[in-house]
Amino acid sequence: MQTFDTVEELHEFVELLLHRIDQRYTAGRRAVVELLASSERPLSISDIEARVPEIPRSSAYRHLSDLQRAGVVGRIAASDEFARFEMAEDFLHHHHHLLCSSCGQVIDVTPTRAFERTVARMVDELTAEQGFRATSHALDVIGHCTNCQH
Amino acid sequence: MQTFDTVEELHEFVELLLHRIDQRYTAGRRAVVELLASSERPLSISDIEARVPEIPRSSAYRHLSDLQRAGVVGRIAASDEFARFEMAEDFLHHHHHLLCSSCGQVIDVTPTRAFERTVARMVDELTAEQGFRATSHALDVIGHCTNCQH
DNA sequence: GGTTGTAATGAGACTCATTCTCATTCTATC
DNA sequence: GATAGAATGAGAATGAGTCTCATTACAACC
Ligand SMILES: [Mn+2]
Ligand SMILES: [Mn+2]
Ligand SMILES: [Zn+2]
Ligand SMILES: [Zn+2]
């Protein structure tokens, strides 16, 4: 959580986004948001279950999907079979991912402003000639994390 | 298929890579390679099944995983629930992907040399300070393909 | 060109992350 | 504080991907 001064401001914005799609900001959803907003890294469902065991798996999935629909949460397909979840980019500084192809861990990294300008320009070039309408981009670095070298 | 003059050269290289991991280059594997090498875009399992129905699903999965282990094929996690497969980068020019978040289609795009230099430099920066050992990168543009705009 | 040991294959059972169902519990509004 | 609609929880269902094991192809030898 970086772009809000207080947790209350965060919750207010989440509530706004949920209301836009006629959804309530309930206790379960609040707990998921609080967890994701305070996490250093994207979390898998079992991460979430381990940290908030009182939320049933089926509800956690539904909360995440509702929050994603509202634009509050983003889903990442990692190199293992588990999806990972984090706050959407509106809630975080724009960043990219280091994906460990051994253990599936996802590490957040922040690019420089200059680099992002270059990426944005390039993305425009690439997509224009395809008639593709870009909404976002993802730069993932694939490799091995410190724990998984040798 | 771009880096080989003839299909025979392609097959020879595939055979070499398979032999390195003590695997034979059989008819089924050859059919999968021929399909992927001639495809304009990464293919899902059902794409493969549709185009080469005589290969059973379980064999197709195994072929793809063996070919991936040999470094012949790469697996892409798209934004839908289906993995997609393409020839590994040794067999193609380095390129990136446009991912349609509506239909899951994956489009290949080739970046300029200058852009790739920038990406490589940035990747080095990002990974160095994390103790992460990069093996490759993926720049995906997320958005909507021509078919999926409105 | 047969024999034999080993690798590859195919059919289908199985796994397990994710989604769906539906009975129950909240919650907003009157 | 009734009522209608929304959210929730428990468990069933789904389905992409993996595994098993009986059968088939192959390579290396004779
Ligand atoms: Mn991230
Ligand atoms: Mn590609
Ligand atoms: Zn790792
Ligand atoms: Zn599309």
Short mmCIF file of all heavy atoms in Angstrom, two decimals, chain C residues 3-23:
data_model
loop_
_atom_site.label_atom_id
_atom_site.label_comp_id
_atom_site.label_asym_id
_atom_site.label_seq_id
_atom_site.Cartn_x
_atom_site.Cartn_y
_atom_site.Cartn_z
P DT C 3 12.22 -65.31 -33.58
OP1 DT C 3 12.12 -66.77 -33.36
OP2 DT C 3 10.99 -64.50 -33.68
"O5'" DT C 3 13.14 -64.70 -32.43
"C5'" DT C 3 14.54 -64.58 -32.62
"C4'" DT C 3 15.16 -64.05 -31.34
"O4'" DT C 3 15.77 -62.75 -31.60
"C3'" DT C 3 14.25 -63.85 -30.15
"O3'" DT C 3 14.97 -64.13 -28.97
"C2'" DT C 3 13.82 -62.39 -30.30
"C1'" DT C 3 15.11 -61.75 -30.83
N1 DT C 3 14.94 -60.55 -31.71
C2 DT C 3 15.87 -59.53 -31.62
O2 DT C 3 16.80 -59.55 -30.86
N3 DT C 3 15.63 -58.48 -32.48
C4 DT C 3 14.61 -58.35 -33.39
O4 DT C 3 14.52 -57.37 -34.11
C5 DT C 3 13.68 -59.45 -33.43
C7 DT C 3 12.52 -59.42 -34.37
C6 DT C 3 13.88 -60.49 -32.59
P DT C 4 14.32 -64.00 -27.53
OP1 DT C 4 14.90 -65.03 -26.66
OP2 DT C 4 12.84 -63.92 -27.74
"O5'" DT C 4 14.85 -62.57 -27.06
"C5'" DT C 4 16.21 -62.19 -27.28
"C4'" DT C 4 16.44 -60.84 -26.61
"O4'" DT C 4 16.20 -59.76 -27.54
"C3'" DT C 4 15.51 -60.59 -25.42
"O3'" DT C 4 16.20 -59.82 -24.46
"C2'" DT C 4 14.37 -59.79 -26.06
"C1'" DT C 4 15.19 -58.91 -27.02
N1 DT C 4 14.45 -58.34 -28.18
C2 DT C 4 14.94 -57.20 -28.77
O2 DT C 4 15.93 -56.64 -28.41
N3 DT C 4 14.20 -56.75 -29.84
C4 DT C 4 13.04 -57.31 -30.35
O4 DT C 4 12.47 -56.82 -31.31
C5 DT C 4 12.59 -58.49 -29.67
C7 DT C 4 11.33 -59.18 -30.14
C6 DT C 4 13.29 -58.95 -28.62
P DG C 5 15.86 -59.92 -22.92
OP1 DG C 5 16.80 -60.85 -22.30
OP2 DG C 5 14.40 -60.13 -22.82
"O5'" DG C 5 16.20 -58.45 -22.40
"C5'" DG C 5 17.47 -57.86 -22.72
"C4'" DG C 5 17.31 -56.37 -22.96
"O4'" DG C 5 16.50 -56.15 -24.16
"C3'" DG C 5 16.59 -55.62 -21.83
"O3'" DG C 5 17.34 -54.45 -21.54
"C2'" DG C 5 15.21 -55.31 -22.39
"C1'" DG C 5 15.50 -55.19 -23.88
N9 DG C 5 14.37 -55.46 -24.77
C8 DG C 5 13.47 -56.51 -24.68
N7 DG C 5 12.58 -56.50 -25.64
C5 DG C 5 12.91 -55.39 -26.41
C6 DG C 5 12.30 -54.87 -27.58
O6 DG C 5 11.33 -55.30 -28.19
N1 DG C 5 12.95 -53.73 -28.03
C2 DG C 5 14.04 -53.16 -27.43
N2 DG C 5 14.53 -52.06 -28.00
N3 DG C 5 14.62 -53.63 -26.34
C4 DG C 5 14.01 -54.74 -25.88
P DT C 6 16.96 -53.54 -20.27
OP1 DT C 6 18.21 -53.23 -19.55
OP2 DT C 6 15.81 -54.19 -19.59
"O5'" DT C 6 16.45 -52.20 -20.96
"C5'" DT C 6 17.18 -51.66 -22.07
"C4'" DT C 6 16.32 -50.64 -22.79
"O4'" DT C 6 15.31 -51.30 -23.62
"C3'" DT C 6 15.54 -49.70 -21.85
"O3'" DT C 6 15.78 -48.38 -22.26
"C2'" DT C 6 14.08 -50.12 -22.05
"C1'" DT C 6 14.11 -50.57 -23.50
N1 DT C 6 12.99 -51.45 -23.93
C2 DT C 6 12.32 -51.16 -25.11
O2 DT C 6 12.60 -50.22 -25.81
N3 DT C 6 11.31 -52.02 -25.43
C4 DT C 6 10.90 -53.14 -24.70
O4 DT C 6 9.97 -53.84 -25.09
C5 DT C 6 11.64 -53.38 -23.49
C7 DT C 6 11.28 -54.55 -22.64
C6 DT C 6 12.64 -52.54 -23.16
P DA C 7 15.29 -47.13 -21.42
OP1 DA C 7 16.48 -46.42 -20.94
OP2 DA C 7 14.25 -47.61 -20.49
"O5'" DA C 7 14.58 -46.23 -22.54
"C5'" DA C 7 15.04 -46.28 -23.88
"C4'" DA C 7 13.95 -45.77 -24.80
"O4'" DA C 7 12.99 -46.84 -25.07
"C3'" DA C 7 13.14 -44.62 -24.22
"O3'" DA C 7 12.95 -43.65 -25.25
"C2'" DA C 7 11.83 -45.27 -23.77
"C1'" DA C 7 11.68 -46.40 -24.77
N9 DA C 7 10.95 -47.57 -24.27
C8 DA C 7 11.16 -48.25 -23.12
N7 DA C 7 10.35 -49.28 -22.94
C5 DA C 7 9.54 -49.25 -24.08
C6 DA C 7 8.48 -50.08 -24.49
N6 DA C 7 8.03 -51.12 -23.79
N1 DA C 7 7.89 -49.78 -25.67
C2 DA C 7 8.35 -48.74 -26.37
N3 DA C 7 9.34 -47.89 -26.08
C4 DA C 7 9.91 -48.21 -24.91
P DA C 8 11.97 -42.43 -25.10
OP1 DA C 8 12.51 -41.34 -25.92
OP2 DA C 8 11.72 -42.24 -23.65
"O5'" DA C 8 10.63 -42.94 -25.78
"C5'" DA C 8 10.64 -43.22 -27.17
"C4'" DA C 8 9.22 -43.47 -27.65
"O4'" DA C 8 8.70 -44.65 -26.99
"C3'" DA C 8 8.23 -42.35 -27.36
"O3'" DA C 8 7.47 -42.16 -28.55
"C2'" DA C 8 7.42 -42.87 -26.18
"C1'" DA C 8 7.43 -44.36 -26.43
N9 DA C 8 7.32 -45.24 -25.27
C8 DA C 8 8.05 -45.20 -24.12
N7 DA C 8 7.75 -46.15 -23.25
C5 DA C 8 6.74 -46.87 -23.89
C6 DA C 8 5.99 -47.99 -23.51
N6 DA C 8 6.15 -48.63 -22.35
N1 DA C 8 5.07 -48.45 -24.38
C2 DA C 8 4.92 -47.82 -25.56
N3 DA C 8 5.56 -46.75 -26.02
C4 DA C 8 6.47 -46.31 -25.14
P DT C 9 6.32 -41.08 -28.61
OP1 DT C 9 6.25 -40.57 -29.99
OP2 DT C 9 6.46 -40.15 -27.48
"O5'" DT C 9 5.03 -41.97 -28.36
"C5'" DT C 9 4.75 -43.01 -29.29
"C4'" DT C 9 3.51 -43.77 -28.84
"O4'" DT C 9 3.78 -44.43 -27.59
"C3'" DT C 9 2.29 -42.87 -28.60
"O3'" DT C 9 1.29 -43.29 -29.52
"C2'" DT C 9 1.91 -43.13 -27.14
"C1'" DT C 9 2.59 -44.46 -26.85
N1 DT C 9 3.01 -44.75 -25.45
C2 DT C 9 2.50 -45.86 -24.82
O2 DT C 9 1.70 -46.62 -25.34
N3 DT C 9 2.96 -46.05 -23.54
C4 DT C 9 3.88 -45.27 -22.85
O4 DT C 9 4.22 -45.54 -21.71
C5 DT C 9 4.37 -44.13 -23.57
C7 DT C 9 5.37 -43.22 -22.93
C6 DT C 9 3.92 -43.92 -24.82
P DG C 10 -0.01 -42.41 -29.79
OP1 DG C 10 -0.42 -42.58 -31.19
OP2 DG C 10 0.24 -41.07 -29.24
"O5'" DG C 10 -1.07 -43.15 -28.87
"C5'" DG C 10 -1.23 -44.55 -29.03
"C4'" DG C 10 -2.40 -45.04 -28.22
"O4'" DG C 10 -1.97 -45.32 -26.86
"C3'" DG C 10 -3.56 -44.07 -28.09
"O3'" DG C 10 -4.74 -44.87 -28.14
"C2'" DG C 10 -3.34 -43.40 -26.72
"C1'" DG C 10 -2.66 -44.50 -25.92
N9 DG C 10 -1.64 -44.08 -24.96
C8 DG C 10 -0.81 -42.99 -25.04
N7 DG C 10 0.04 -42.89 -24.04
C5 DG C 10 -0.24 -44.00 -23.26
C6 DG C 10 0.36 -44.43 -22.04
O6 DG C 10 1.28 -43.92 -21.41
N1 DG C 10 -0.23 -45.61 -21.57
C2 DG C 10 -1.25 -46.28 -22.19
N2 DG C 10 -1.69 -47.39 -21.58
N3 DG C 10 -1.82 -45.88 -23.33
C4 DG C 10 -1.27 -44.74 -23.80
P DA C 11 -6.18 -44.27 -28.28
OP1 DA C 11 -6.84 -44.99 -29.38
OP2 DA C 11 -6.09 -42.79 -28.29
"O5'" DA C 11 -6.84 -44.73 -26.89
"C5'" DA C 11 -6.74 -46.09 -26.50
"C4'" DA C 11 -7.26 -46.26 -25.09
"O4'" DA C 11 -6.21 -45.95 -24.15
"C3'" DA C 11 -8.44 -45.36 -24.74
"O3'" DA C 11 -9.47 -46.17 -24.18
"C2'" DA C 11 -7.88 -44.34 -23.76
"C1'" DA C 11 -6.67 -45.05 -23.17
N9 DA C 11 -5.54 -44.17 -22.87
C8 DA C 11 -5.13 -43.08 -23.59
N7 DA C 11 -4.07 -42.48 -23.08
C5 DA C 11 -3.76 -43.23 -21.96
C6 DA C 11 -2.74 -43.12 -21.00
N6 DA C 11 -1.80 -42.17 -21.02
N1 DA C 11 -2.71 -44.03 -20.00
C2 DA C 11 -3.64 -44.99 -19.98
N3 DA C 11 -4.66 -45.21 -20.83
C4 DA C 11 -4.66 -44.28 -21.81
P DG C 12 -10.84 -45.53 -23.72
OP1 DG C 12 -11.87 -46.58 -23.85
OP2 DG C 12 -11.02 -44.23 -24.41
"O5'" DG C 12 -10.59 -45.25 -22.18
"C5'" DG C 12 -10.07 -46.30 -21.37
"C4'" DG C 12 -9.54 -45.74 -20.08
"O4'" DG C 12 -8.36 -44.92 -20.31
"C3'" DG C 12 -10.54 -44.83 -19.34
"O3'" DG C 12 -10.59 -45.27 -18.01
"C2'" DG C 12 -9.91 -43.44 -19.46
"C1'" DG C 12 -8.44 -43.82 -19.43
N9 DG C 12 -7.53 -42.77 -19.88
C8 DG C 12 -7.66 -41.95 -20.97
N7 DG C 12 -6.66 -41.10 -21.09
C5 DG C 12 -5.84 -41.38 -20.01
C6 DG C 12 -4.62 -40.81 -19.62
O6 DG C 12 -3.99 -39.89 -20.16
N1 DG C 12 -4.11 -41.42 -18.47
C2 DG C 12 -4.72 -42.45 -17.79
N2 DG C 12 -4.09 -42.90 -16.71
N3 DG C 12 -5.86 -43.00 -18.15
C4 DG C 12 -6.37 -42.42 -19.26
P DA C 13 -11.77 -44.87 -17.05
OP1 DA C 13 -12.67 -46.04 -17.02
OP2 DA C 13 -12.29 -43.52 -17.41
"O5'" DA C 13 -11.01 -44.77 -15.64
"C5'" DA C 13 -10.08 -45.79 -15.31
"C4'" DA C 13 -9.04 -45.24 -14.34
"O4'" DA C 13 -8.18 -44.30 -15.03
"C3'" DA C 13 -9.64 -44.49 -13.16
"O3'" DA C 13 -8.89 -44.81 -12.00
"C2'" DA C 13 -9.50 -43.02 -13.57
"C1'" DA C 13 -8.19 -43.05 -14.36
N9 DA C 13 -8.09 -42.01 -15.40
C8 DA C 13 -8.97 -41.76 -16.40
N7 DA C 13 -8.61 -40.77 -17.19
C5 DA C 13 -7.41 -40.36 -16.68
C6 DA C 13 -6.50 -39.34 -17.06
N6 DA C 13 -6.70 -38.55 -18.11
N1 DA C 13 -5.39 -39.18 -16.32
C2 DA C 13 -5.19 -39.98 -15.27
N3 DA C 13 -5.96 -40.98 -14.81
C4 DA C 13 -7.06 -41.11 -15.57
P DC C 14 -9.34 -44.20 -10.58
OP1 DC C 14 -8.89 -45.19 -9.58
OP2 DC C 14 -10.76 -43.79 -10.69
"O5'" DC C 14 -8.46 -42.89 -10.41
"C5'" DC C 14 -7.05 -42.99 -10.52
"C4'" DC C 14 -6.45 -41.61 -10.42
"O4'" DC C 14 -6.66 -40.90 -11.66
"C3'" DC C 14 -7.03 -40.72 -9.31
"O3'" DC C 14 -5.95 -40.37 -8.47
"C2'" DC C 14 -7.63 -39.54 -10.05
"C1'" DC C 14 -6.85 -39.54 -11.36
N1 DC C 14 -7.51 -38.93 -12.54
C2 DC C 14 -6.86 -37.90 -13.24
O2 DC C 14 -5.75 -37.52 -12.84
N3 DC C 14 -7.45 -37.36 -14.32
C4 DC C 14 -8.64 -37.80 -14.73
N4 DC C 14 -9.17 -37.24 -15.82
C5 DC C 14 -9.33 -38.84 -14.04
C6 DC C 14 -8.74 -39.37 -12.96
P DT C 15 -6.23 -39.61 -7.07
OP1 DT C 15 -5.37 -40.22 -6.05
OP2 DT C 15 -7.70 -39.48 -6.88
"O5'" DT C 15 -5.65 -38.16 -7.38
"C5'" DT C 15 -4.43 -38.03 -8.11
"C4'" DT C 15 -4.15 -36.57 -8.35
"O4'" DT C 15 -4.87 -36.10 -9.52
"C3'" DT C 15 -4.56 -35.65 -7.20
"O3'" DT C 15 -3.48 -34.76 -6.98
"C2'" DT C 15 -5.82 -34.95 -7.72
"C1'" DT C 15 -5.55 -34.91 -9.22
N1 DT C 15 -6.72 -34.90 -10.15
C2 DT C 15 -6.71 -34.05 -11.22
O2 DT C 15 -5.81 -33.26 -11.43
N3 DT C 15 -7.81 -34.13 -12.04
C4 DT C 15 -8.88 -34.99 -11.90
O4 DT C 15 -9.80 -34.98 -12.71
C5 DT C 15 -8.84 -35.86 -10.75
C7 DT C 15 -9.96 -36.82 -10.52
C6 DT C 15 -7.77 -35.78 -9.94
P DC C 16 -3.30 -34.04 -5.58
OP1 DC C 16 -1.85 -34.07 -5.32
OP2 DC C 16 -4.27 -34.58 -4.61
"O5'" DC C 16 -3.72 -32.54 -5.88
"C5'" DC C 16 -3.24 -31.88 -7.05
"C4'" DC C 16 -4.17 -30.72 -7.36
"O4'" DC C 16 -5.30 -31.19 -8.13
"C3'" DC C 16 -4.77 -30.04 -6.12
"O3'" DC C 16 -4.87 -28.66 -6.39
"C2'" DC C 16 -6.17 -30.64 -6.06
"C1'" DC C 16 -6.48 -30.65 -7.55
N1 DC C 16 -7.63 -31.49 -7.97
C2 DC C 16 -8.18 -31.26 -9.24
O2 DC C 16 -7.67 -30.41 -9.96
N3 DC C 16 -9.24 -32.00 -9.62
C4 DC C 16 -9.74 -32.93 -8.80
N4 DC C 16 -10.80 -33.63 -9.23
C5 DC C 16 -9.20 -33.17 -7.51
C6 DC C 16 -8.15 -32.43 -7.14
P DA C 17 -4.14 -27.61 -5.44
OP1 DA C 17 -2.70 -27.86 -5.47
OP2 DA C 17 -4.86 -27.61 -4.16
"O5'" DA C 17 -4.43 -26.24 -6.20
"C5'" DA C 17 -3.76 -26.00 -7.42
"C4'" DA C 17 -4.68 -25.29 -8.38
"O4'" DA C 17 -5.78 -26.16 -8.76
"C3'" DA C 17 -5.33 -24.02 -7.84
"O3'" DA C 17 -5.34 -23.06 -8.90
"C2'" DA C 17 -6.75 -24.46 -7.46
"C1'" DA C 17 -7.03 -25.54 -8.49
N9 DA C 17 -7.94 -26.61 -8.07
C8 DA C 17 -7.88 -27.31 -6.89
N7 DA C 17 -8.82 -28.23 -6.78
C5 DA C 17 -9.53 -28.12 -7.97
C6 DA C 17 -10.65 -28.82 -8.46
N6 DA C 17 -11.28 -29.80 -7.80
N1 DA C 17 -11.12 -28.46 -9.68
C2 DA C 17 -10.49 -27.49 -10.35
N3 DA C 17 -9.43 -26.76 -9.98
C4 DA C 17 -9.00 -27.13 -8.77
P DT C 18 -5.88 -21.59 -8.65
OP1 DT C 18 -5.23 -20.72 -9.62
OP2 DT C 18 -5.80 -21.29 -7.21
"O5'" DT C 18 -7.41 -21.73 -9.06
"C5'" DT C 18 -7.74 -21.91 -10.43
"C4'" DT C 18 -9.22 -22.18 -10.56
"O4'" DT C 18 -9.59 -23.34 -9.81
"C3'" DT C 18 -10.13 -21.05 -10.06
"O3'" DT C 18 -10.78 -20.49 -11.19
"C2'" DT C 18 -11.08 -21.73 -9.09
"C1'" DT C 18 -10.95 -23.20 -9.49
N1 DT C 18 -11.27 -24.21 -8.45
C2 DT C 18 -12.30 -25.10 -8.67
O2 DT C 18 -12.97 -25.11 -9.69
N3 DT C 18 -12.53 -26.01 -7.66
C4 DT C 18 -11.83 -26.11 -6.48
O4 DT C 18 -12.12 -26.96 -5.65
C5 DT C 18 -10.77 -25.14 -6.30
C7 DT C 18 -9.95 -25.16 -5.05
C6 DT C 18 -10.54 -24.26 -7.27
P DT C 19 -11.90 -19.43 -11.08
OP1 DT C 19 -11.83 -18.61 -12.31
OP2 DT C 19 -11.85 -18.81 -9.75
"O5'" DT C 19 -13.24 -20.31 -11.16
"C5'" DT C 19 -13.43 -21.17 -12.25
"C4'" DT C 19 -14.77 -21.86 -12.11
"O4'" DT C 19 -14.75 -22.78 -10.99
"C3'" DT C 19 -15.94 -20.91 -11.87
"O3'" DT C 19 -16.97 -21.32 -12.77
"C2'" DT C 19 -16.31 -21.14 -10.40
"C1'" DT C 19 -15.92 -22.60 -10.22
N1 DT C 19 -15.56 -23.05 -8.84
C2 DT C 19 -16.15 -24.18 -8.34
O2 DT C 19 -16.98 -24.82 -8.95
N3 DT C 19 -15.73 -24.54 -7.08
C4 DT C 19 -14.78 -23.90 -6.31
O4 DT C 19 -14.48 -24.33 -5.20
C5 DT C 19 -14.20 -22.72 -6.90
C7 DT C 19 -13.17 -21.95 -6.15
C6 DT C 19 -14.61 -22.36 -8.12
P DC C 20 -18.36 -20.55 -12.90
OP1 DC C 20 -18.72 -20.55 -14.32
OP2 DC C 20 -18.24 -19.29 -12.14
"O5'" DC C 20 -19.38 -21.51 -12.13
"C5'" DC C 20 -19.36 -22.87 -12.46
"C4'" DC C 20 -20.35 -23.63 -11.59
"O4'" DC C 20 -19.76 -23.89 -10.29
"C3'" DC C 20 -21.67 -22.90 -11.33
"O3'" DC C 20 -22.70 -23.85 -11.55
"C2'" DC C 20 -21.57 -22.47 -9.86
"C1'" DC C 20 -20.68 -23.55 -9.27
N1 DC C 20 -19.84 -23.16 -8.11
C2 DC C 20 -19.83 -23.96 -6.96
O2 DC C 20 -20.54 -24.97 -6.93
N3 DC C 20 -19.03 -23.63 -5.92
C4 DC C 20 -18.27 -22.54 -5.99
N4 DC C 20 -17.48 -22.25 -4.94
C5 DC C 20 -18.25 -21.70 -7.15
C6 DC C 20 -19.05 -22.04 -8.17
P DT C 21 -24.25 -23.33 -11.57
OP1 DT C 21 -24.85 -23.92 -12.78
OP2 DT C 21 -24.29 -21.87 -11.33
"O5'" DT C 21 -24.87 -24.05 -10.28
"C5'" DT C 21 -24.19 -25.16 -9.70
"C4'" DT C 21 -24.98 -25.67 -8.51
"O4'" DT C 21 -24.21 -25.45 -7.30
"C3'" DT C 21 -26.33 -25.00 -8.27
"O3'" DT C 21 -27.18 -25.95 -7.67
"C2'" DT C 21 -25.97 -23.87 -7.32
"C1'" DT C 21 -24.89 -24.54 -6.45
N1 DT C 21 -23.86 -23.64 -5.86
C2 DT C 21 -23.34 -23.97 -4.62
O2 DT C 21 -23.69 -24.94 -3.98
N3 DT C 21 -22.37 -23.11 -4.16
C4 DT C 21 -21.88 -21.99 -4.80
O4 DT C 21 -21.02 -21.31 -4.29
C5 DT C 21 -22.47 -21.71 -6.09
C7 DT C 21 -22.02 -20.51 -6.87
C6 DT C 21 -23.43 -22.54 -6.55
P DC C 22 -28.78 -25.76 -7.75
OP1 DC C 22 -29.30 -27.02 -8.32
OP2 DC C 22 -29.11 -24.45 -8.35
"O5'" DC C 22 -29.19 -25.71 -6.20
"C5'" DC C 22 -28.45 -26.47 -5.24
"C4'" DC C 22 -28.58 -25.85 -3.86
"O4'" DC C 22 -27.46 -24.96 -3.62
"C3'" DC C 22 -29.84 -25.00 -3.68
"O3'" DC C 22 -30.24 -25.14 -2.32
"C2'" DC C 22 -29.32 -23.58 -3.92
"C1'" DC C 22 -27.99 -23.72 -3.18
N1 DC C 22 -26.99 -22.66 -3.46
C2 DC C 22 -25.92 -22.48 -2.56
O2 DC C 22 -25.84 -23.21 -1.58
N3 DC C 22 -25.02 -21.50 -2.81
C4 DC C 22 -25.15 -20.72 -3.89
N4 DC C 22 -24.24 -19.77 -4.09
C5 DC C 22 -26.24 -20.89 -4.81
C6 DC C 22 -27.12 -21.86 -4.56
P DA C 23 -31.79 -25.38 -1.94
OP1 DA C 23 -32.12 -26.68 -2.53
OP2 DA C 23 -32.59 -24.18 -2.25
"O5'" DA C 23 -31.75 -25.55 -0.35
"C5'" DA C 23 -30.73 -26.36 0.25
"C4'" DA C 23 -30.07 -25.61 1.40
"O4'" DA C 23 -29.16 -24.60 0.87
"C3'" DA C 23 -31.04 -24.88 2.32
"O3'" DA C 23 -30.66 -25.10 3.67
"C2'" DA C 23 -30.91 -23.42 1.89
"C1'" DA C 23 -29.43 -23.36 1.49
N9 DA C 23 -29.10 -22.30 0.53
C8 DA C 23 -29.80 -21.95 -0.59
N7 DA C 23 -29.25 -20.95 -1.27
C5 DA C 23 -28.12 -20.64 -0.54
C6 DA C 23 -27.10 -19.66 -0.73
N6 DA C 23 -27.09 -18.82 -1.75
N1 DA C 23 -26.12 -19.62 0.20
C2 DA C 23 -26.14 -20.48 1.23
N3 DA C 23 -27.04 -21.44 1.51
C4 DA C 23 -28.01 -21.46 0.58
#
